[in-house]
Amino acid sequence: MQRDRSQSSPSMFRLATASLAGTAIEFYDFFVYGTAAALVLGPLFFPTVSPLIGTLAAFGTFGVGFLARPLGSILFGHIGDRHGRRPVLVASLLLTGLATVAVGLVPTYDSIGIAAPVLLLVLRFVQGIGLGGEWGGAVLLTAEHAPAHRRVLWSSFPQVGPSVGFVLANGLTLALSATLTDAQFLSWGWRVPFWAAGLLAAAGLLLRSQLSETPAFQELAAKESRASLPLAELVRGHWRLVLLTAGGLAAGYAVFYTVTTWSLAYATETLHVDRTVMLACIMVAVAAQGVATPLAALLGDRYGRRPLCLIGCTAMALWMVPLVALLQTGRPVLMLVGFVVAMLSFTATFAVTGAYLPELYEPRVRCTGAAVGYNLAGVLGGALTPIVATAASQGDGPPWGVAGYLTAIALLSLGCFALLPDTRPAPAAPGPGPAAEYAPA
């Protein structure tokens, strides 16, 4: 990933903005499903079971998207390592966008019976495949163009994309929830954010069609040194690295989806907090995460990637009990404080991930390795968290079991990051010339 320090800021800004826009659109598609799962999918697609089982079933279809993401990272990682990073960006966006629009067209259980949840499950799986390929291509677009001394900053742009996508998805849902009656929202209002994904995907495809291939891949292609089977090479030579990165990032996923998905269902169904109030609180917390991401990235460029990851995991482990206590009050201001601190703790780790993971893998398997590690973390921390948290929060009193579960995952992630090297670039030698690639600790 060597790049000359003379890389122009306007050029990098255009690349980073295009990367951010794409991840925002794809994560919009993914998050709008999570919000719908928390609010309406249970009664609409699983009406023959109890409300609790319906919510668990809706979160089950939500989790299928995470299970599909590693498969998507393998498929699109192979394309990225064999044929270039750019094709990944276009194909993954198209696949996710089409699946999301289709979710908004699926009839409910009352119309077509068991076929309704089956279609929902299939489309959620396709969504996961597309998103599994998105992240690797997006971060490599910036990481392999960026100068080494600002690689974390530029690579944090794709990491802001999820925040933007979440705010877009929930902002539209919030507007619909506030202006429609409950009957209208259940009848057709919840579908509108899914339909809007089609327009966003078209805009993203237009933007990404103008991007150029990364210098690192062009060099691999010129030297004919591409891996013939990237996954086989990754498993053979880098399996330990994949498991450590997946375990390290699991806590961030768990905390994020606890705040954005499980807490929404828990507060509205158990604490009887108004749906609009909860959506607003969560949106503010995610917006704070987006603003903090480039600031944390600057610290990652200055002090290293791993130190930020260790700080973030420690903060998550310490904050989970206060988070549950503040949520249990049902008071918007206190819940907001709990959400914001949790999201800022998560941000310390994920702000540096866009540079950290690509730097850990050699260019031959970089797209596959970074994407597989990142998306396996989604399975460990994101797929099961809403289900486990819902089950652990039954009964009277605060759901301390949720806090214990999240604390354990944070400690697991802390241990994984402690076993990984840092990859902060060594200081450049005086005079002109390319910046150093990286200097593992």
Side-chain angles (χ1 to χ4, degrees), residues 40-307:
V40 300
L41 295 188
L44 291 178
F45 288 86
F46 305 95
T48 60
V49 297
S50 69
L52 171 60
I53 300 301
T55 299
L56 288 171
F59 281 149
T61 61
F62 174 76
V64 165
F66 286 98
L67 297 178
R69 282 172 63 169
L71 299 178
S73 66
I74 292 171
L75 170 63
F76 287 106
H78 181 89
I79 295 172
D81 284 326
R82 287 291 303 160
H83 306 289
R85 317 324 190 191
R86 184 176 174 274
V88 171
L89 298 173
V90 175
S92 62
L93 182 59
L94 180 62
L95 185 64
T96 308
L98 291 175
T100 305
V101 173
V103 170
L105 300 174
V106 175
T108 62
Y109 186 94
D110 288 342
S111 298
I112 60 173
I114 192 64
V118 170
L119 285 173
L120 208 61
L121 196 70
V122 170
L123 291 172
R124 181 61 175 173
F125 187 85
V126 174
Q127 263 193 331
I129 292 287
L131 191 62
E134 160 64 26
W135 186 85
V139 298
L140 261 62
L141 176 70
T142 51
E144 293 186 339
H145 275 98
H149 69 297
R150 284 291 179 263
R151 189 174 295 137
V152 179
L153 175 62
W154 290 119
S155 298
S156 72
F157 274 60
Q159 298 298 80
V160 177
S163 300
V164 175
F166 184 89
V167 171
L168 285 175
N170 284 267
L172 183 52
T173 303
L174 177 61
L176 291 165
S177 177
T179 56
L180 300 176
T181 65
D182 285 346
Q184 290 172 326
F185 187 78
L186 282 171
S187 175
W188 58 269
W190 69 272
R191 298 181 183 273
V192 174
F194 290 92
W195 298 338
L199 296 176
L200 293 174
L205 288 171
L206 179 63
L207 183 63
R208 286 189 163 183
S209 65
Q210 304 171 17
L211 298 177
S212 60
E213 188 53 77
T214 69
F217 182 79
Q218 290 176 347
E219 183 178 348
L220 282 175
K223 294 180 178 179
E224 293 294 334
S225 57
R226 289 168 289 181
S228 57
L229 291 172
L231 179 63
E233 191 168 318
L234 182 73
V235 172
R236 185 168 56 248
H238 305 278
W239 62 270
R240 181 176 180 272
L241 187 57
V242 171
L243 294 179
L244 287 176
T245 52
L249 295 173
Y253 273 102
V255 170
F256 184 89
Y257 286 101
T258 294
V259 171
T260 60
T261 302
W262 169 76
S263 68
L264 179 59
Y266 178 75
T268 55
E269 294 174 6
T270 303
L271 303 179
H272 306 294
V273 179
D274 183 74
R275 178 177 62 205
T276 303
V277 170
M278 282 303 300
L279 286 170
C281 288
I282 293 169
M283 283 176 59
V284 171
V286 176
Q289 175 214 340
V291 172
T293 295
L295 302 178
L298 288 172
L299 296 176
D301 274 323
R302 180 165 185 177
Y303 298 108
R305 290 62 160 140
R306 188 178 67 168

